Amino acid sequence: MSQDIYEQLMTAYGEKNISAVQLHGQSLLDLLDDMDQVLATDEHFLLGRWLKQARMVANNGSAKETLLNEFNARNQLTLWGPNGEIQDYANKMWSGLVGDYYRSRWQAFIKRLESDLVRNIKFNSLQYDNDDISLGRVWTMNTNVYPDSPQGDTWSVVQAIHQTYKTGKKSNQQ
């Protein structure tokens, strides 16, 4: 489904159809929200557990070491170095990471497509890559707390999401 939406998004961009870019861009963001919600129902797919464990292994428990451990845990999943040397090398499909970090990157990409269409300029991939690295740097420095225990029942969440697609609430994604 995500590949189909991405292809529709890029076709709309190629056709310079800003309303379709917005429509398919929102569909992609909605799908990421749905994925994050499903992932949040299972303890094995929680960014919060990873970050909590990183904070807990601080040897002396100092605030500085705790923050450093969290930064390193975030950096390992995202930039893998100060300048995105191996960006996304250790990516995971974890709730929190999908709904926050990956979603914000996709949102920035979609906004860039929209902006470039409005300004009638060609997409600058080098500038986008630099902006993406900057977004990653900001995210790795954050200390947002994410749930470290499951949120909701998987079956109930999946049924509710399925119903929204089935009833056409999200039919623009088909």
Side-chain angles (χ1 to χ4, degrees):
M1 180 181 258
S2 62
Q3 184 64 35
D4 292 340
I5 297 170
Y6 174 76
E7 289 173 7
Q8 292 167 345
L9 174 67
M10 297 314 296
T11 297
Y13 176 75
E15 294 171 351
K16 300 182 185 302
N17 184 339
I18 193 164
S19 61
V21 167
Q22 292 168 336
L23 176 72
H24 299 304
Q26 188 58 54
S27 295
L28 189 56
L29 297 176
D30 289 345
L31 183 61
L32 289 168
D33 292 338
D34 292 341
M35 288 171 57
D36 195 72
Q37 191 177 1
V38 171
L39 292 166
T41 66
D42 188 308
E43 67 181 333
H44 299 99
F45 300 105
L46 301 175
L47 173 63
R49 284 177 51 125
W50 170 258
L51 297 178
K52 181 179 179 181
Q53 291 169 358
R55 288 188 298 270
M56 289 175 50
V57 298
N59 290 332
N60 62 14
S62 74
K64 184 177 180 179
E65 187 172 350
T66 301
L67 288 173
L68 178 61
N69 285 1
E70 181 169 352
F71 166 80
N72 285 331
R74 287 170 175 265
N75 190 271
Q76 181 181 3
L77 296 172
T78 57
L79 298 178
W80 198 281
N83 299 308
E85 282 81 355
I86 314 175
Q87 191 174 16
D88 292 330
Y89 176 73
N91 69 63
K92 307 281 188 247
M93 290 294 111
W94 286 348
S95 177
L97 197 58
V98 170
D100 188 13
Y101 180 65
Y102 297 144
R103 187 187 194 284
S104 65
R105 291 173 67 195
W106 276 105
Q107 188 170 29
F109 175 72
I110 294 161
K111 290 293 180 201
R112 174 58 62 97
L113 293 178
E114 292 173 12
S115 172
D116 289 355
L117 285 177
V118 167
R119 295 182 303 156
N120 198 29
I121 62 173
K122 185 178 176 185
F123 183 82
N124 183 332
S125 60
L126 182 58
Q127 181 61 51
Y128 172 77
D129 290 345
N130 290 334
D131 293 346
D132 192 42
I133 297 294
S134 294
L135 191 149
R137 284 187 187 126
V138 168
W139 192 87
T140 59
M141 298 300 292
N142 282 335
T143 56
N144 306 26
V145 176
Y146 300 90
D148 61 359
S149 60
Q151 308 293 304
D153 170 69
T154 306
W155 182 246
S156 298
V157 169
V158 168
Q159 282 183 310
I161 290 171
H162 178 261
Q163 193 64 26
T164 63
Y165 287 89
K166 182 179 174 185
T167 59
K169 180 179 173 190
K170 297 184 181 180
S171 62
N172 60 325
Q173 297 176 358
Q174 296 175 0

